[in-house]
Each structure stands twice: as structure tokens, then as C-alpha cells.
Amino acid sequence: MLTVDFSRFPLAPGDRVLDLGCGAGRHAFECYRRGARVVALDRNGEEIREVAKWFAAMKEAGEAPEGATATAMEGDALALPFPDESFDVVIISEVMEHIPDDKGVLAEMVRVLKPGGRIAVTVPRYGPEKVCWALSDAYHEVEGGHIRIYKADELTGKLREAGLKPYGSHHAHALHAPYWWLKCAFGVDNDKALPVRAYHKLLVWDIMKKPFATRLAEQALNPLIGKSFVVYATKPHLPSLGAEADAR
């Protein structure tokens, strides 16, 4: 259940990738399988330990190509423990809506990204997220919960302000939006409600089986109710001193 579409976000073997706020690690695992040198970073130590276990299991099972590496570590998104221009690729998925200083996080990502590098940012989409907030205060008024809802132009504007150049966007996970509406309607922590349990079974079935019918339905519905908004951007190369001198 990836949110980043790697057909729109090319990844080359050997690329150094930072999965910032990696959570359970789904994007980090996919990058590792594609031959990248991955660093999965999160503030949640328990999740990082689980991600590290999965990296080890993937290596033992031969799921990663030769030359690929994977490291899981705890860290602070506002004070990344890496030198400037350390990564070819940065992914931050469903994280920025949790952080008060989102501009500070963007500045750190830009700092560690190499010129010419690529970044993928995903956040909850404005419309479906507004429905969740309207249905349930408990959905967002919790410690570490969602503190803002981004409009698409607001997020792309912040990327530009940070010095990035957006080049594409799309929506994802339309089938997941109704699930969260049901969760909010019946109680965010109430997993026993029949509609919630039934829809959850549908999602698990869809993720495991990937039937053509639901793939087609989600593709058609993503522009309308896709749960996530995904935007891709690059960090421009700065003009060389020689080029600046020639321009004078």
C-alpha cells in the first residue's frame, strides 16, 4: 500500500534515500528492494526497532539487490543528524500534518538533499480530511495528531518557498477515505462496529489480492476522494560562480 508512485518518482540503484518519519517503513522497504542505500528515520523508537528487524529479515531472505543498504535510526526531523547534501532522494509521507514547524522540517530536508535531488511529500488531502475533522474531534485532537489540513496549492507553495521546484502531483488511496469516515462516525477507537469491521476486511482483501476491479475503481475515484495528496519536487542546481561571472 505505497503512497508514493515510483513510476513518477524514479529511483536508481545506489541512490541514497532518506525516509523521514518512516513509521512502519513501507516506503523504506520498497526503496531497499529497488537497490537504494536507505536511511529510515523516525522519532518513535519502538517503530524504528521493528523497521530494523524487517530490514534484517529482508537481507536474510535476499529481497534486496547487491549493494543496497538499509539503516533504521531514531532522530528529530527538525535537527537531522546528517551533513548538507547527503541524500539523492528524500521521502516524507503523512508526517508534515503532525509537526507545528513544517517550514523548519522543509528547510532541513532541503539542506540534506543534494542539488538535482528529488523529494516526495504526501499529506492527507483537504476534502476527505475535512470530513474526518467534522465527524470526530478525537480524530485530530490527540497528542501527536493532525494539527493542520493542507490545501494543494498551500503545500506546493511551501515547497517553492523552501527552494524546491514541484514537477508533479496526484491523489492516492480513494478506497481508504470511506474507512476513515466510518471510523470517525462510529468512534476512532471503536474497531468493533460492524461497518468498520466489514470495510476493514474489504481493504485487507484489496491489499492482499489486488483485484483488477478495485484497482480500476480506486484509479477512477482518486481524483475525487483520494485520501492522500502527493507532490514531487526537485532541488535545483545553483548557478556556478563561473556562470554568474559570464552573465555580468
Side-chain angles (χ1 to χ4, degrees), residues 137-248:
D137 290 337
Y139 172 79
H140 63 97
E141 291 182 357
V142 295
E143 185 178 355
H146 298 185
I147 62 170
R148 69 173 65 82
I149 309 176
Y150 289 101
K151 291 186 176 180
D153 57 355
E154 176 191 3
L155 181 59
T156 54
K158 288 190 174 186
L159 295 181
R160 290 190 181 95
E161 289 174 11
L164 296 166
K165 185 177 181 181
Y167 69 83
S169 65
H170 62 91
H171 300 99
H173 307 317
L175 295 182
H176 288 248
Y179 172 72
W180 283 103
W181 297 339
L182 288 170
K183 288 270 287 181
C184 290
F186 285 94
V188 174
D189 297 320
N190 180 12
D191 294 324
K192 295 182 179 180
L194 181 58
V196 174
R197 287 192 289 115
Y199 203 97
H200 184 263
K201 286 183 179 180
L202 171 67
L203 291 180
V204 171
W205 173 78
D206 176 59
I207 291 168
M208 298 300 294
K209 300 296 184 180
K210 298 181 175 65
F212 177 74
T214 56
R215 295 300 88 219
L216 191 63
E218 184 155 77
Q219 186 177 0
L221 290 170
N222 274 337
L224 301 173
I225 59 168
K227 181 73 168 65
S228 294
F229 174 63
V230 189
V231 60
Y232 306 106
T234 58
K235 179 178 177 178
H237 289 275
L238 294 175
S240 67
L241 292 176
E244 288 180 352
D246 292 341
R248 292 192 181 105

Side-chain angles (χ1 to χ4, degrees), residues 89-121:
V89 172
V90 177
I91 297 171
I92 184 165
S93 181
E94 312 299 303
V95 173
M96 288 182 57
E97 67 276 10
H98 295 273
I99 301 176
D101 186 8
D102 58 347
K103 290 185 177 180
V105 173
L106 279 171
E108 274 292 87
M109 289 191 290
V110 171
R111 179 184 68 79
V112 302
L113 187 64
K114 295 177 181 178
R118 303 172 304 286
I119 186 168
V121 181

Side-chain angles (χ1 to χ4, degrees), residues 21-142:
C22 65
R26 68 182 188 272
H27 289 105
F29 300 149
E30 181 63 21
C31 293
Y32 190 30
R33 291 188 187 98
R34 289 171 178 260
R37 296 173 292 158
V38 183
V39 177
L41 183 143
D42 201 283
R43 62 184 289 182
N44 186 317
E46 185 176 340
E47 286 196 311
I48 283 297
R49 286 187 287 275
E50 283 299 310
V51 169
K53 290 178 184 177
W54 278 105
F55 279 151
M58 290 172 67
K59 182 177 181 180
E60 185 174 345
E63 290 189 36
E66 186 176 350
T69 62
T71 302
M73 61 185 296
E74 289 185 59
D76 182 354
L78 288 164
L80 295 174
F82 310 112
D84 296 355
E85 302 179 5
S86 299
F87 294 93
D88 302 291
V89 172
V90 177
I91 297 171
I92 184 165
S93 181
E94 312 299 303
V95 173
M96 288 182 57
E97 67 276 10
H98 295 273
I99 301 176
D101 186 8
D102 58 347
K103 290 185 177 180
V105 173
L106 279 171
E108 274 292 87
M109 289 191 290
V110 171
R111 179 184 68 79
V112 302
L113 187 64
K114 295 177 181 178
R118 303 172 304 286
I119 186 168
V121 181
T122 92
V123 297
R125 184 184 187 173
Y126 184 83
E129 186 77 347
K130 284 288 284 186
V131 173
C132 289
W133 283 44
L135 290 171
S136 171
D137 290 337
Y139 172 79
H140 63 97
E141 291 182 357
V142 295

